[in-house]
Amino acid sequence: MRRKNITIREDQAEWVEENHLNLSSFVRGKLDELIEERS
């Protein structure tokens, strides 16, 4: 697996933390959805 860095706003970072969201998993899932839509 490759590592990539992203930058999010402070309010986004707070929301992610408050909602216990795994950001890496979320991004991978969204990318898979976009890839599937375009296939």
Side-chain angles (χ1 to χ4, degrees), residues 32-39:
D32 284 341
E33 286 178 21
L34 291 171
I35 291 167
E36 186 66 29
E37 286 175 9
R38 294 184 179 191
S39 296

Side-chain angles (χ1 to χ4, degrees), residues 9-27:
R9 297 185 316 256
E10 186 64 33
D11 62 319
Q12 293 170 327
E14 290 173 8
W15 189 91
V16 166
E17 189 172 326
E18 289 169 3
N19 289 279
H20 309 285
L21 180 68
N22 181 316
L23 195 54
S24 292
S25 179
F26 176 77
V27 171

